[in-house]
Amino acid sequence: MIIPKNSEEIELMRESALVVSKTLGMIAKEVKPGVTTLQLDKLAEDFIRSEGAIPGFLGLYDFPNSLCMSPNAQVVHGIPNDQPLQEGDIISIDCGAIKNGFYGDHAYTFPVGEVDQETAELLRVTKESLYKGIKEFKIGNRVGDVGYAIQKHAEDHGYGVVRELVGHGLGRTMHEDPEMPNYGKRGRGKKFVEGMVVAIEPMINMGTKNIKQLKDGWTILTRDGKPSAHFEHDVALIDGKPQLLSTFEYIYESLGIENDEEREFKK
């Protein structure tokens, strides 16, 4: 059952999302060759708590850390460890925070130093597919319209769209209705309603769409060992249109990047 939020609840959710946004912005400065994902995880936990929030992933379904850290062929749910990142890696950093009783949850895939052109293109197209999906999150549309937009953009570039892992509704719990697949057919699935909040999160592979799971019970990898990218935003349906609660602006500020991709989805 979809749980719409009122305007006060949406503003509280915006605060939660912005804790995550600021955390990813702080982490962006630290993603470089030689750093370990455990070091980044500790920085994130300390920062989230300093913002008056609680790490949203720590202990959730027994996950052991505050960040999901998934480099290269890892799709999502990677567990932080003490292996240093290397020049040319990419790493998906997925972060959650609880503030005022509501979750924020979003993700960004960072290049580590300089990456090759083929990998950079995967990151670009995956992020583009996120915004193409967000554009379809509006009154009159359904879940399948968002999934179709993401799938078409990714597959038009020859990439694989993961089927087993999906976006989701968001609120007082991390995972609410509806599920938000990154594939689908126009006009299919649950109808969008005013006040709903979702996490839209394309997980796009350079090669096959097929995945496998490590014995740790968490880490998901591409079956062919090729890289995977993951970008995620928290989005509310307000006045019939999508409005971002999260932002990548803190990341871009940290990295000295000028970008206006979020402009049409701003408050």
Side-chain angles (χ1 to χ4, degrees), residues 56-104:
F57 294 170
L58 185 61
L60 182 69
Y61 312 124
D62 294 325
F63 189 75
N65 294 87
S66 298
L67 297 177
C68 292
M69 308 283 279
S70 309
N72 303 321
Q74 293 186 17
V75 181
V76 285
H77 301 164
I79 298 174
N81 59 41
D82 58 5
Q83 291 186 329
L85 296 177
Q86 297 184 19
E87 181 82 18
D89 286 347
I90 57 171
I91 184 157
S92 161
I93 302 182
D94 194 353
C95 180
I98 310 166
K99 189 171 184 180
N100 305 312
F102 287 97
Y103 277 87

mmCIF file of all heavy atoms in Angstrom, residues 56-104:
data_model
loop_
_atom_site.group_PDB
_atom_site.id
_atom_site.type_symbol
_atom_site.label_atom_id
_atom_site.label_comp_id
_atom_site.label_asym_id
_atom_site.label_seq_id
_atom_site.Cartn_x
_atom_site.Cartn_y
_atom_site.Cartn_z
ATOM 1 N N GLY A 56 21.351 5.083 8.593
ATOM 2 C CA GLY A 56 20.153 4.326 8.254
ATOM 3 C C GLY A 56 20.408 2.881 7.895
ATOM 4 O O GLY A 56 19.494 2.056 7.997
ATOM 5 N N PHE A 57 21.624 2.568 7.456
ATOM 6 C CA PHE A 57 21.929 1.200 7.027
ATOM 7 C C PHE A 57 22.508 0.349 8.154
ATOM 8 O O PHE A 57 22.410 -0.872 8.121
ATOM 9 C CB PHE A 57 22.943 1.205 5.869
ATOM 10 C CG PHE A 57 22.436 1.810 4.597
ATOM 11 C CD1 PHE A 57 23.306 2.067 3.546
ATOM 12 C CD2 PHE A 57 21.100 2.123 4.418
ATOM 13 C CE1 PHE A 57 22.862 2.626 2.355
ATOM 14 C CE2 PHE A 57 20.637 2.686 3.237
ATOM 15 C CZ PHE A 57 21.520 2.931 2.202
ATOM 16 N N LEU A 58 23.144 0.985 9.140
ATOM 17 C CA LEU A 58 23.858 0.260 10.185
ATOM 18 C C LEU A 58 22.878 -0.599 10.985
ATOM 19 O O LEU A 58 22.013 -0.085 11.688
ATOM 20 C CB LEU A 58 24.585 1.242 11.100
ATOM 21 C CG LEU A 58 25.484 0.648 12.182
ATOM 22 C CD1 LEU A 58 26.612 -0.173 11.576
ATOM 23 C CD2 LEU A 58 26.062 1.759 13.065
ATOM 24 N N GLY A 59 22.997 -1.921 10.839
ATOM 25 C CA GLY A 59 22.106 -2.835 11.542
ATOM 26 C C GLY A 59 20.807 -3.145 10.820
ATOM 27 O O GLY A 59 20.060 -4.034 11.237
ATOM 28 N N LEU A 60 20.515 -2.423 9.730
ATOM 29 C CA LEU A 60 19.295 -2.676 8.975
ATOM 30 C C LEU A 60 19.397 -4.038 8.288
ATOM 31 O O LEU A 60 20.328 -4.264 7.503
ATOM 32 C CB LEU A 60 19.083 -1.572 7.937
ATOM 33 C CG LEU A 60 17.815 -1.667 7.087
ATOM 34 C CD1 LEU A 60 16.575 -1.399 7.935
ATOM 35 C CD2 LEU A 60 17.868 -0.678 5.924
ATOM 36 N N TYR A 61 18.475 -4.923 8.584
ATOM 37 C CA TYR A 61 18.551 -6.312 8.101
ATOM 38 C C TYR A 61 19.899 -6.944 8.465
ATOM 39 O O TYR A 61 20.410 -7.798 7.744
ATOM 40 C CB TYR A 61 18.341 -6.397 6.579
ATOM 41 C CG TYR A 61 17.156 -5.630 6.054
ATOM 42 C CD1 TYR A 61 17.319 -4.670 5.046
ATOM 43 C CD2 TYR A 61 15.883 -5.865 6.544
ATOM 44 C CE1 TYR A 61 16.232 -3.963 4.555
ATOM 45 C CE2 TYR A 61 14.788 -5.165 6.054
ATOM 46 C CZ TYR A 61 14.962 -4.207 5.065
ATOM 47 O OH TYR A 61 13.873 -3.509 4.584
ATOM 48 N N ASP A 62 20.503 -6.453 9.565
ATOM 49 C CA ASP A 62 21.803 -6.926 10.056
ATOM 50 C C ASP A 62 22.983 -6.508 9.177
ATOM 51 O O ASP A 62 24.078 -7.098 9.278
ATOM 52 C CB ASP A 62 21.823 -8.456 10.231
ATOM 53 C CG ASP A 62 20.876 -8.918 11.327
ATOM 54 O OD1 ASP A 62 20.731 -8.182 12.326
ATOM 55 O OD2 ASP A 62 20.276 -9.995 11.178
ATOM 56 N N PHE A 63 22.818 -5.470 8.344
ATOM 57 C CA PHE A 63 23.983 -4.958 7.595
ATOM 58 C C PHE A 63 24.982 -4.373 8.589
ATOM 59 O O PHE A 63 24.605 -3.647 9.513
ATOM 60 C CB PHE A 63 23.550 -3.903 6.567
ATOM 61 C CG PHE A 63 24.659 -3.497 5.635
ATOM 62 C CD1 PHE A 63 25.065 -4.334 4.610
ATOM 63 C CD2 PHE A 63 25.313 -2.274 5.794
ATOM 64 C CE1 PHE A 63 26.108 -3.980 3.759
ATOM 65 C CE2 PHE A 63 26.348 -1.902 4.947
ATOM 66 C CZ PHE A 63 26.738 -2.759 3.923
ATOM 67 N N PRO A 64 26.302 -4.651 8.408
ATOM 68 C CA PRO A 64 27.274 -4.324 9.451
ATOM 69 C C PRO A 64 27.842 -2.906 9.426
ATOM 70 O O PRO A 64 28.618 -2.549 10.322
ATOM 71 C CB PRO A 64 28.401 -5.333 9.192
ATOM 72 C CG PRO A 64 28.342 -5.597 7.720
ATOM 73 C CD PRO A 64 26.878 -5.529 7.364
ATOM 74 N N ASN A 65 27.502 -2.089 8.426
ATOM 75 C CA ASN A 65 28.163 -0.783 8.282
ATOM 76 C C ASN A 65 27.169 0.328 7.951
ATOM 77 O O ASN A 65 25.984 0.087 7.788
ATOM 78 C CB ASN A 65 29.249 -0.866 7.206
ATOM 79 C CG ASN A 65 30.391 -1.773 7.605
ATOM 80 O OD1 ASN A 65 30.341 -2.977 7.376
ATOM 81 N ND2 ASN A 65 31.414 -1.207 8.224
ATOM 82 N N SER A 66 27.708 1.550 7.834
ATOM 83 C CA SER A 66 26.872 2.719 7.545
ATOM 84 C C SER A 66 26.732 2.995 6.058
ATOM 85 O O SER A 66 25.785 3.658 5.644
ATOM 86 C CB SER A 66 27.461 3.954 8.238
ATOM 87 O OG SER A 66 27.458 3.776 9.639
ATOM 88 N N LEU A 67 27.684 2.545 5.262
ATOM 89 C CA LEU A 67 27.642 2.740 3.817
ATOM 90 C C LEU A 67 27.681 1.394 3.113
ATOM 91 O O LEU A 67 28.378 0.482 3.548
ATOM 92 C CB LEU A 67 28.858 3.559 3.337
ATOM 93 C CG LEU A 67 29.019 4.985 3.842
ATOM 94 C CD1 LEU A 67 30.322 5.573 3.302
ATOM 95 C CD2 LEU A 67 27.833 5.858 3.429
ATOM 96 N N CYS A 68 26.957 1.295 2.010
ATOM 97 C CA CYS A 68 27.175 0.210 1.059
ATOM 98 C C CYS A 68 28.210 0.707 0.065
ATOM 99 O O CYS A 68 27.995 1.733 -0.602
ATOM 100 C CB CYS A 68 25.881 -0.167 0.332
ATOM 101 S SG CYS A 68 24.636 -0.929 1.381
ATOM 102 N N MET A 69 29.338 0.004 -0.044
ATOM 103 C CA MET A 69 30.479 0.445 -0.848
ATOM 104 C C MET A 69 30.765 -0.617 -1.900
ATOM 105 O O MET A 69 31.262 -1.697 -1.571
ATOM 106 C CB MET A 69 31.699 0.648 0.039
ATOM 107 C CG MET A 69 31.451 1.538 1.245
ATOM 108 S SD MET A 69 31.417 3.272 0.810
ATOM 109 C CE MET A 69 33.155 3.637 0.745
ATOM 110 N N SER A 70 30.468 -0.311 -3.154
ATOM 111 C CA SER A 70 30.483 -1.337 -4.199
ATOM 112 C C SER A 70 31.372 -0.906 -5.357
ATOM 113 O O SER A 70 30.926 -0.175 -6.248
ATOM 114 C CB SER A 70 29.055 -1.588 -4.688
ATOM 115 O OG SER A 70 28.188 -1.827 -3.588
ATOM 116 N N PRO A 71 32.642 -1.324 -5.365
ATOM 117 C CA PRO A 71 33.552 -0.923 -6.434
ATOM 118 C C PRO A 71 33.436 -1.791 -7.689
ATOM 119 O O PRO A 71 33.128 -2.987 -7.614
ATOM 120 C CB PRO A 71 34.937 -1.102 -5.798
ATOM 121 C CG PRO A 71 34.746 -2.183 -4.793
ATOM 122 C CD PRO A 71 33.331 -2.056 -4.293
ATOM 123 N N ASN A 72 33.650 -1.174 -8.834
ATOM 124 C CA ASN A 72 33.864 -1.861 -10.114
ATOM 125 C C ASN A 72 32.731 -2.810 -10.471
ATOM 126 O O ASN A 72 31.624 -2.373 -10.758
ATOM 127 C CB ASN A 72 35.236 -2.534 -10.093
ATOM 128 C CG ASN A 72 36.355 -1.527 -9.820
ATOM 129 O OD1 ASN A 72 36.311 -0.415 -10.323
ATOM 130 N ND2 ASN A 72 37.338 -1.909 -9.026
ATOM 131 N N ALA A 73 32.970 -4.125 -10.457
ATOM 132 C CA ALA A 73 31.949 -5.092 -10.860
ATOM 133 C C ALA A 73 30.915 -5.356 -9.771
ATOM 134 O O ALA A 73 29.942 -6.074 -10.005
ATOM 135 C CB ALA A 73 32.602 -6.410 -11.266
ATOM 136 N N GLN A 74 31.104 -4.783 -8.577
ATOM 137 C CA GLN A 74 30.065 -4.896 -7.556
ATOM 138 C C GLN A 74 28.934 -3.933 -7.908
ATOM 139 O O GLN A 74 29.169 -2.763 -8.193
ATOM 140 C CB GLN A 74 30.628 -4.591 -6.173
ATOM 141 C CG GLN A 74 31.643 -5.637 -5.702
ATOM 142 C CD GLN A 74 32.102 -5.411 -4.280
ATOM 143 O OE1 GLN A 74 31.481 -4.698 -3.510
ATOM 144 N NE2 GLN A 74 33.223 -6.035 -3.921
ATOM 145 N N VAL A 75 27.720 -4.445 -7.881
ATOM 146 C CA VAL A 75 26.556 -3.636 -8.271
ATOM 147 C C VAL A 75 26.084 -2.802 -7.085
ATOM 148 O O VAL A 75 26.012 -1.578 -7.155
ATOM 149 C CB VAL A 75 25.425 -4.550 -8.782
ATOM 150 C CG1 VAL A 75 24.224 -3.724 -9.218
ATOM 151 C CG2 VAL A 75 25.911 -5.420 -9.938
ATOM 152 N N VAL A 76 25.751 -3.483 -5.990
ATOM 153 C CA VAL A 76 25.280 -2.832 -4.764
ATOM 154 C C VAL A 76 25.588 -3.723 -3.570
ATOM 155 O O VAL A 76 25.985 -4.878 -3.723
ATOM 156 C CB VAL A 76 23.754 -2.551 -4.786
ATOM 157 C CG1 VAL A 76 23.407 -1.384 -5.687
ATOM 158 C CG2 VAL A 76 22.969 -3.798 -5.173
ATOM 159 N N HIS A 77 25.381 -3.145 -2.363
ATOM 160 C CA HIS A 77 25.426 -3.869 -1.092
ATOM 161 C C HIS A 77 26.813 -4.396 -0.733
ATOM 162 O O HIS A 77 26.944 -5.315 0.075
ATOM 163 C CB HIS A 77 24.414 -5.026 -1.075
ATOM 164 C CG HIS A 77 22.998 -4.592 -1.284
ATOM 165 N ND1 HIS A 77 21.993 -5.470 -1.624
ATOM 166 C CD2 HIS A 77 22.425 -3.367 -1.215
ATOM 167 C CE1 HIS A 77 20.849 -4.810 -1.759
ATOM 168 N NE2 HIS A 77 21.095 -3.522 -1.514
ATOM 169 N N GLY A 78 27.863 -3.779 -1.310
ATOM 170 C CA GLY A 78 29.213 -4.151 -0.927
ATOM 171 C C GLY A 78 29.507 -3.738 0.513
ATOM 172 O O GLY A 78 29.101 -2.666 0.966
ATOM 173 N N ILE A 79 30.221 -4.590 1.235
ATOM 174 C CA ILE A 79 30.573 -4.324 2.635
ATOM 175 C C ILE A 79 31.938 -3.638 2.690
ATOM 176 O O ILE A 79 32.898 -4.121 2.081
ATOM 177 C CB ILE A 79 30.610 -5.638 3.435
ATOM 178 C CG1 ILE A 79 29.225 -6.303 3.438
ATOM 179 C CG2 ILE A 79 31.082 -5.392 4.867
ATOM 180 C CD1 ILE A 79 29.207 -7.682 4.087
ATOM 181 N N PRO A 80 32.047 -2.508 3.390
ATOM 182 C CA PRO A 80 33.344 -1.832 3.498
ATOM 183 C C PRO A 80 34.433 -2.762 4.026
ATOM 184 O O PRO A 80 34.188 -3.607 4.889
ATOM 185 C CB PRO A 80 33.061 -0.694 4.486
ATOM 186 C CG PRO A 80 31.603 -0.413 4.317
ATOM 187 C CD PRO A 80 30.968 -1.749 4.050
ATOM 188 N N ASN A 81 35.653 -2.575 3.500
ATOM 189 C CA ASN A 81 36.779 -3.418 3.924
ATOM 190 C C ASN A 81 38.064 -2.587 3.928
ATOM 191 O O ASN A 81 38.032 -1.369 3.742
ATOM 192 C CB ASN A 81 36.903 -4.648 3.018
ATOM 193 C CG ASN A 81 37.106 -4.282 1.553
ATOM 194 O OD1 ASN A 81 37.859 -3.357 1.242
ATOM 195 N ND2 ASN A 81 36.441 -4.992 0.661
ATOM 196 N N ASP A 82 39.187 -3.253 4.159
ATOM 197 C CA ASP A 82 40.461 -2.532 4.297
ATOM 198 C C ASP A 82 41.322 -2.574 3.033
ATOM 199 O O ASP A 82 42.526 -2.334 3.084
ATOM 200 C CB ASP A 82 41.250 -3.060 5.494
ATOM 201 C CG ASP A 82 41.537 -4.558 5.407
ATOM 202 O OD1 ASP A 82 41.206 -5.170 4.366
ATOM 203 O OD2 ASP A 82 42.091 -5.108 6.382
ATOM 204 N N GLN A 83 40.718 -2.882 1.894
ATOM 205 C CA GLN A 83 41.465 -2.856 0.634
ATOM 206 C C GLN A 83 41.457 -1.444 0.055
ATOM 207 O O GLN A 83 40.391 -0.867 -0.147
ATOM 208 C CB GLN A 83 40.840 -3.826 -0.367
ATOM 209 C CG GLN A 83 41.021 -5.288 0.014
ATOM 210 C CD GLN A 83 40.514 -6.237 -1.069
ATOM 211 O OE1 GLN A 83 39.570 -5.929 -1.789
ATOM 212 N NE2 GLN A 83 41.154 -7.379 -1.188
ATOM 213 N N PRO A 84 42.631 -0.876 -0.235
ATOM 214 C CA PRO A 84 42.671 0.490 -0.760
ATOM 215 C C PRO A 84 42.071 0.583 -2.170
ATOM 216 O O PRO A 84 42.237 -0.327 -2.998
ATOM 217 C CB PRO A 84 44.171 0.805 -0.803
ATOM 218 C CG PRO A 84 44.818 -0.215 0.081
ATOM 219 C CD PRO A 84 43.972 -1.434 -0.007
ATOM 220 N N LEU A 85 41.388 1.678 -2.421
ATOM 221 C CA LEU A 85 40.922 1.961 -3.778
ATOM 222 C C LEU A 85 42.123 2.271 -4.658
ATOM 223 O O LEU A 85 43.143 2.792 -4.188
ATOM 224 C CB LEU A 85 39.962 3.143 -3.773
ATOM 225 C CG LEU A 85 38.644 2.947 -3.007
ATOM 226 C CD1 LEU A 85 37.823 4.230 -3.034
ATOM 227 C CD2 LEU A 85 37.849 1.791 -3.586
ATOM 228 N N GLN A 86 41.984 1.965 -5.955
ATOM 229 C CA GLN A 86 43.079 2.174 -6.889
ATOM 230 C C GLN A 86 42.673 3.121 -8.003
ATOM 231 O O GLN A 86 41.485 3.242 -8.343
ATOM 232 C CB GLN A 86 43.508 0.825 -7.490
ATOM 233 C CG GLN A 86 44.040 -0.159 -6.465
ATOM 234 C CD GLN A 86 44.539 -1.438 -7.086
ATOM 235 O OE1 GLN A 86 44.830 -1.501 -8.273
ATOM 236 N NE2 GLN A 86 44.652 -2.485 -6.276
ATOM 237 N N GLU A 87 43.663 3.786 -8.563
ATOM 238 C CA GLU A 87 43.443 4.668 -9.717
ATOM 239 C C GLU A 87 42.694 3.906 -10.813
ATOM 240 O O GLU A 87 43.035 2.771 -11.148
ATOM 241 C CB GLU A 87 44.792 5.145 -10.263
ATOM 242 C CG GLU A 87 44.708 6.096 -11.449
ATOM 243 C CD GLU A 87 44.443 7.527 -11.042
ATOM 244 O OE1 GLU A 87 44.646 7.868 -9.851
ATOM 245 O OE2 GLU A 87 44.052 8.318 -11.917
ATOM 246 N N GLY A 88 41.627 4.526 -11.330
ATOM 247 C CA GLY A 88 40.860 3.910 -12.402
ATOM 248 C C GLY A 88 39.667 3.101 -11.936
ATOM 249 O O GLY A 88 38.848 2.665 -12.746
ATOM 250 N N ASP A 89 39.564 2.862 -10.603
ATOM 251 C CA ASP A 89 38.370 2.203 -10.070
ATOM 252 C C ASP A 89 37.162 3.132 -10.186
ATOM 253 O O ASP A 89 37.299 4.355 -10.338
ATOM 254 C CB ASP A 89 38.548 1.882 -8.572
ATOM 255 C CG ASP A 89 39.474 0.715 -8.294
ATOM 256 O OD1 ASP A 89 39.805 -0.031 -9.239
ATOM 257 O OD2 ASP A 89 39.874 0.550 -7.118
ATOM 258 N N ILE A 90 35.984 2.540 -10.065
ATOM 259 C CA ILE A 90 34.785 3.305 -9.750
ATOM 260 C C ILE A 90 34.193 2.700 -8.493
ATOM 261 O O ILE A 90 34.430 1.530 -8.186
ATOM 262 C CB ILE A 90 33.736 3.301 -10.887
ATOM 263 C CG1 ILE A 90 33.314 1.867 -11.253
ATOM 264 C CG2 ILE A 90 34.263 4.049 -12.103
ATOM 265 C CD1 ILE A 90 32.129 1.804 -12.214
ATOM 266 N N ILE A 91 33.428 3.515 -7.752
ATOM 267 C CA ILE A 91 32.799 2.976 -6.547
ATOM 268 C C ILE A 91 31.433 3.601 -6.316
ATOM 269 O O ILE A 91 31.287 4.826 -6.264
ATOM 270 C CB ILE A 91 33.695 3.150 -5.297
ATOM 271 C CG1 ILE A 91 33.036 2.493 -4.081
ATOM 272 C CG2 ILE A 91 34.039 4.605 -5.037
ATOM 273 C CD1 ILE A 91 33.960 2.114 -2.986
ATOM 274 N N SER A 92 30.426 2.732 -6.233
ATOM 275 C CA SER A 92 29.078 3.157 -5.854
ATOM 276 C C SER A 92 29.031 3.295 -4.342
ATOM 277 O O SER A 92 29.355 2.344 -3.619
ATOM 278 C CB SER A 92 28.042 2.137 -6.322
ATOM 279 O OG SER A 92 26.834 2.302 -5.615
ATOM 280 N N ILE A 93 28.654 4.479 -3.874
ATOM 281 C CA ILE A 93 28.495 4.713 -2.438
ATOM 282 C C ILE A 93 27.028 5.006 -2.172
ATOM 283 O O ILE A 93 26.484 6.021 -2.616
ATOM 284 C CB ILE A 93 29.389 5.860 -1.945
ATOM 285 C CG1 ILE A 93 30.863 5.553 -2.247
ATOM 286 C CG2 ILE A 93 29.169 6.096 -0.453
ATOM 287 C CD1 ILE A 93 31.833 6.601 -1.749
ATOM 288 N N ASP A 94 26.384 4.104 -1.458
ATOM 289 C CA ASP A 94 24.966 4.192 -1.127
ATOM 290 C C ASP A 94 24.879 4.485 0.365
ATOM 291 O O ASP A 94 25.489 3.783 1.182
ATOM 292 C CB ASP A 94 24.283 2.863 -1.474
ATOM 293 C CG ASP A 94 22.767 2.959 -1.498
ATOM 294 O OD1 ASP A 94 22.223 4.013 -1.127
ATOM 295 O OD2 ASP A 94 22.128 1.964 -1.881
ATOM 296 N N CYS A 95 24.128 5.530 0.724
ATOM 297 C CA CYS A 95 24.105 6.022 2.105
ATOM 298 C C CYS A 95 22.666 6.217 2.562
ATOM 299 O O CYS A 95 21.808 6.639 1.783
ATOM 300 C CB CYS A 95 24.869 7.344 2.174
ATOM 301 S SG CYS A 95 24.937 8.089 3.822
ATOM 302 N N GLY A 96 22.425 5.917 3.831
ATOM 303 C CA GLY A 96 21.112 6.148 4.419
ATOM 304 C C GLY A 96 21.246 6.865 5.748
ATOM 305 O O GLY A 96 22.252 6.724 6.452
ATOM 306 N N ALA A 97 20.224 7.640 6.106
ATOM 307 C CA ALA A 97 20.208 8.337 7.392
ATOM 308 C C ALA A 97 18.765 8.441 7.881
ATOM 309 O O ALA A 97 17.839 8.567 7.078
ATOM 310 C CB ALA A 97 20.823 9.722 7.274
ATOM 311 N N ILE A 98 18.609 8.380 9.194
ATOM 312 C CA ILE A 98 17.294 8.561 9.805
ATOM 313 C C ILE A 98 17.329 9.841 10.629
ATOM 314 O O ILE A 98 18.185 10.016 11.508
ATOM 315 C CB ILE A 98 16.930 7.396 10.742
ATOM 316 C CG1 ILE A 98 17.145 6.042 10.066
ATOM 317 C CG2 ILE A 98 15.481 7.526 11.223
ATOM 318 C CD1 ILE A 98 17.134 4.861 11.027
ATOM 319 N N LYS A 99 16.405 10.754 10.332
ATOM 320 C CA LYS A 99 16.266 11.978 11.110
ATOM 321 C C LYS A 99 14.780 12.297 11.220
ATOM 322 O O LYS A 99 14.034 12.145 10.244
ATOM 323 C CB LYS A 99 17.023 13.137 10.445
ATOM 324 C CG LYS A 99 17.106 14.376 11.316
ATOM 325 C CD LYS A 99 18.032 15.428 10.722
ATOM 326 C CE LYS A 99 18.167 16.606 11.689
ATOM 327 N NZ LYS A 99 19.066 17.646 11.153
ATOM 328 N N ASN A 100 14.357 12.714 12.386
ATOM 329 C CA ASN A 100 12.935 13.024 12.614
ATOM 330 C C ASN A 100 12.033 11.827 12.295
ATOM 331 O O ASN A 100 10.868 12.004 11.926
ATOM 332 C CB ASN A 100 12.491 14.232 11.777
ATOM 333 C CG ASN A 100 13.339 15.461 12.017
ATOM 334 O OD1 ASN A 100 13.604 15.828 13.162
ATOM 335 N ND2 ASN A 100 13.787 16.098 10.945
ATOM 336 N N GLY A 101 12.581 10.624 12.426
ATOM 337 C CA GLY A 101 11.768 9.435 12.208
ATOM 338 C C GLY A 101 11.603 9.024 10.764
ATOM 339 O O GLY A 101 10.889 8.066 10.470
ATOM 340 N N PHE A 102 12.275 9.735 9.839
ATOM 341 C CA PHE A 102 12.158 9.422 8.418
ATOM 342 C C PHE A 102 13.529 9.093 7.827
ATOM 343 O O PHE A 102 14.551 9.625 8.258
ATOM 344 C CB PHE A 102 11.545 10.595 7.643
ATOM 345 C CG PHE A 102 10.078 10.782 7.892
ATOM 346 C CD1 PHE A 102 9.627 11.706 8.825
ATOM 347 C CD2 PHE A 102 9.137 10.035 7.199
ATOM 348 C CE1 PHE A 102 8.272 11.896 9.052
ATOM 349 C CE2 PHE A 102 7.782 10.205 7.410
ATOM 350 C CZ PHE A 102 7.344 11.132 8.349
ATOM 351 N N TYR A 103 13.500 8.266 6.802
ATOM 352 C CA TYR A 103 14.731 7.854 6.108
ATOM 353 C C TYR A 103 15.056 8.782 4.939
ATOM 354 O O TYR A 103 14.162 9.249 4.219
ATOM 355 C CB TYR A 103 14.578 6.437 5.540
ATOM 356 C CG TYR A 103 14.843 5.337 6.522
ATOM 357 C CD1 TYR A 103 13.823 4.865 7.350
ATOM 358 C CD2 TYR A 103 16.106 4.746 6.640
ATOM 359 C CE1 TYR A 103 14.055 3.843 8.258
ATOM 360 C CE2 TYR A 103 16.345 3.716 7.547
ATOM 361 C CZ TYR A 103 15.312 3.282 8.353
ATOM 362 O OH TYR A 103 15.544 2.261 9.251
ATOM 363 N N GLY A 104 16.347 9.004 4.754
ATOM 364 C CA GLY A 104 16.903 9.487 3.496
ATOM 365 C C GLY A 104 17.791 8.379 2.964
ATOM 366 O O GLY A 104 18.422 7.658 3.749
#
